[in-house]
Amino acid sequence: MNRVVHPIEEESYRRLRARLDTSHFPPLTRAVVERVIHSAADLEYAGDLVMDEGELEKAHAALHAGAPVVVDVEMVAAGITRRETVCRLRDAVAGPGLTRSAHAIRLAYEQVGPGALWVIGNAPTALEELLTLDAAPALVIGLPVGFVGAVESKAALRESGLPAVSNVSEKGGSAVASAALNALLYHPVPHPDSHSDSHSEEKS
């Protein structure tokens, strides 16, 4: 993806790296960690995020091959500016034992089927609902925020064995969830014959 990086963003990354050594992370993990920290100005995410480089590599390939991207709320969609997303919250209705956010996830799955990337940054109940479906996701970015259900839903995501980006604490939110997806979206697709340094200084 051809993307012009603004000088302010370049300076932000320079300052981030001056305060935190991220060079030991593998390439895609580093990209996600740095962009999440950049979005939140919170260095603690470096030790809070949980992900697997091999899973990120597969998700990166699926994303760049055109896999659908589903989000739980419009705020997450607003942060993903270079890719169309699916958000069914406007069509969803709450019911007995089912929040509106959870119903939106059901509707989205009916629309996109298996193999999508799911980006959940707001509602723990959306993440909980996704885990009940046979969604076979390419990746679940599960970073809902809050004092009720957020920690538990993210722990359940990790226990599910699904390919995922999550974090341990109550922190999260739409901005960091979209940042995690953008990190994969902006990261270059490797050329089949490329043997580039695994710790490239990719800023975008």
Side-chain angles (χ1 to χ4, degrees), residues 71-74 87-108 122-123 125-126 129:
V71 301
D72 62 332
V73 292
E74 293 290 350
C87 182
R88 297 298 301 275
L89 191 60
R90 292 183 180 180
D91 305 315
V93 293
L98 185 72
T99 66
R100 187 166 166 241
S101 294
H103 186 222
I105 294 300
R106 287 189 189 180
L107 293 175
N122 182 262
T125 57
E129 181 64 23

Side-chain angles (χ1 to χ4, degrees), residues 59 62-63 67-73 76 80 85-88 101-121 126-131 133-144 157 162-166 177-178 180-181 184:
L63 178 64
V69 176
V70 182
V71 301
D72 62 332
V73 292
V76 175
I80 303 170
T85 61
V86 173
C87 182
R88 297 298 301 275
S101 294
H103 186 222
I105 294 300
R106 287 189 189 180
L107 293 175
Y109 177 62
E110 290 172 3
Q111 178 177 338
V112 304
L117 288 88
W118 296 78
V119 189
I120 297 173
L127 181 52
E128 291 165 0
E129 181 64 23
L130 179 60
L131 296 179
L133 303 174
D134 188 21
L139 185 70
V140 180
I141 296 174
L143 296 170
L157 171 60
L162 295 175
V165 174
S166 68
S178 60
L181 190 282
L184 300 180

Side-chain angles (χ1 to χ4, degrees), residues 8-165:
I8 292 176
E9 183 176 328
E10 288 189 342
E11 177 61 13
S12 179
Y13 269 79
R14 187 194 69 77
R15 295 186 186 189
L16 185 163
R17 288 169 175 164
R19 294 174 62 179
L20 178 72
D21 181 9
T22 61
S23 63
H24 61 287
F25 289 117
L28 288 169
T29 299
R30 184 185 189 187
V32 172
V33 168
E34 289 188 339
R35 188 150 290 278
V36 166
I37 291 173
H38 172 261
S39 73
D42 186 346
L43 297 173
E44 291 182 357
Y45 274 110
D48 192 36
L49 289 163
V50 180
M51 66 197 90
D52 175 80
E53 183 73 7
E55 293 177 352
L56 293 182
E57 289 173 354
K58 293 176 183 178
H60 180 262
L63 178 64
H64 288 273
V69 176
V70 182
V71 301
D72 62 332
V73 292
E74 293 290 350
M75 286 289 287
V76 175
I80 303 170
T81 59
R82 291 173 178 253
R83 185 65 176 266
E84 292 295 321
T85 61
V86 173
C87 182
R88 297 298 301 275
L89 191 60
R90 292 183 180 180
D91 305 315
V93 293
L98 185 72
T99 66
R100 187 166 166 241
S101 294
H103 186 222
I105 294 300
R106 287 189 189 180
L107 293 175
Y109 177 62
E110 290 172 3
Q111 178 177 338
V112 304
L117 288 88
W118 296 78
V119 189
I120 297 173
N122 182 262
T125 57
L127 181 52
E128 291 165 0
E129 181 64 23
L130 179 60
L131 296 179
T132 71
L133 303 174
D134 188 21
L139 185 70
V140 180
I141 296 174
L143 296 170
V145 61
F147 293 117
V148 179
V151 167
E152 294 83 357
S153 66
K154 289 179 280 194
L157 171 60
R158 291 189 293 276
E159 291 166 6
S160 73
L162 295 175
V165 174

